[in-house]
Amino acid sequence: MSGILIYCEKEAARNAFAVEKFRKELGVELQYEDYRGGADYVINRTNDYRVAEYFEARGVRVFNPSSLTRLANDKQLCYDFMEQNGIEIMPTRYAGAPAVKKPVNGHGGNGVVMLETPEKFEKGFVYQKPCTDLGKDVRVWVIGGEIITAILRESKTDFRSNFCLGGAATPYSLSEDETALVKKIISLVEADYVGIDFVFNNGHIVFNEIEDTVGARTVYAKTDIDIIKLYCDYIKNG
């Protein structure tokens, strides 16, 4: 089986370790925005659901599917979907203050700001009520519907807890209720390899977002899990 790994060029350079892991484990061909057909499967690492749609229309299996990529990369769409399916979120379209303002298609905490006074809603942004426990979240890595690991991320200097922004990270053991919540979310979406992020509100976890092209730096830094190899094994068996 021949495979194609698709990144935008800038992200491929930033994720050179992952690119080489995919190449070593699967022998995939790296392509950028000028992608083309001729493969049995595609690993889409662009955050662009149209890439997946292009190949799906040609009968090619895409990891992750376009439905997941579209949902995960539109925060308002994702919040609305989760809320409609009984998953607790921090309220959005929030006109009060303070409020978290985040780009609807943002990643890694980039462009996320805390508003101290209300402002008129701007297109392309989510306005959300802040959680009570700022600077703290949990990311859960999932492959093929199976929970692989969870890591707590905390920052003492920023309300954003992202590891890439300097937050501390430690392995986290999900409680029975937290595991049940993750499994409920997994049951709602068609996904191959994702991260599911939760913030803490009054001491319990609340859904925050799904990471489609989820990174693995924290997993490799804080655990002995070779998570990209696990993903590659899943692809081989799929």
Side-chain angles (χ1 to χ4, degrees):
M1 299 241 324
S2 62
I4 295 173
L5 174 66
I6 304 180
Y7 269 92
C8 68
E9 194 164 358
K10 179 180 178 181
E11 286 300 303
R14 195 172 78 87
N15 292 280
F17 172 78
V19 170
E20 288 309 308
K21 287 285 291 184
F22 281 120
R23 281 174 156 171
K24 176 184 176 182
E25 296 293 335
L26 297 171
V28 290
E29 176 190 352
L30 176 64
Q31 293 185 14
Y32 302 121
E33 287 87 344
D34 59 341
Y35 52 84
R36 52 200 178 277
D40 297 304
Y41 67 90
V42 166
I43 305 168
N44 179 22
R45 301 287 292 176
T46 68
N47 291 320
D48 187 346
Y49 72 90
R50 294 168 297 183
V51 173
E53 285 187 335
Y54 171 87
F55 287 99
E56 288 169 348
R58 289 157 177 77
V60 177
R61 172 73 159 94
V62 183
F63 302 83
N64 288 309
S66 60
S67 59
L68 185 283
T69 299
R70 184 168 194 167
L71 183 70
N73 291 285
D74 184 328
K75 293 189 192 312
Q76 191 63 66
L77 181 68
C78 193
Y79 286 131
D80 292 345
F81 174 83
M82 291 298 168
E83 191 171 32
Q84 289 162 10
N85 283 279
I87 303 298
E88 183 184 4
I89 64 166
M90 297 307 300
T92 64
R93 301 181 179 89
Y94 181 68
V100 179
K101 178 183 178 182
K102 58 181 76 172
V104 72
N105 60 350
H107 297 280
N110 293 317
V112 178
V113 297
M114 183 71 75
L115 301 177
E116 297 302 331
T117 57
E119 70 173 32
K120 184 178 179 180
F121 289 171
E122 184 180 349
K123 186 177 180 180
F125 289 88
V126 171
Y127 292 80
Q128 191 169 37
K129 183 178 181 178
C131 60
T132 59
D133 305 0
L134 296 174
K136 176 181 178 182
D137 77 355
V138 166
R139 171 166 290 177
V140 182
W141 281 260
V142 177
I143 297 177
E146 297 295 324
I147 297 171
I148 304 301
T149 191
I151 290 181
L152 176 70
R153 305 180 299 182
E154 297 179 279
S155 175
K156 298 186 185 302
T157 59
D158 197 320
F159 72 95
R160 300 168 299 174
S161 54
N162 305 72
F163 189 59
C164 62
L165 297 178
T170 52
Y172 183 84
S173 295
L174 296 168
S175 70
E176 189 173 316
D177 288 345
E178 290 168 342
T179 298
L181 175 58
V182 175
K183 288 183 175 179
K184 182 177 180 181
I185 292 169
I186 292 169
S187 75
L188 296 173
V189 297
E190 183 183 358
D192 297 304
Y193 173 44
V194 294
I196 306 176
D197 293 352
F198 300 87
V199 294
F200 286 83
N201 192 56
N202 295 317
H204 71 277
I205 64 171
V206 174
F207 173 81
N208 191 43
E209 63 184 302
I210 297 176
E211 283 290 342
D212 169 31
T213 58
V214 62
R217 290 178 181 84
T218 321
V219 176
Y220 284 102
K222 300 299 177 177
T223 78
D224 295 326
I225 300 169
D226 191 347
I227 196 162
I228 296 178
K229 185 180 187 306
L230 292 180
Y231 184 32
C232 291
D233 291 342
Y234 166 81
I235 292 171
K236 290 175 188 176
N237 295 326

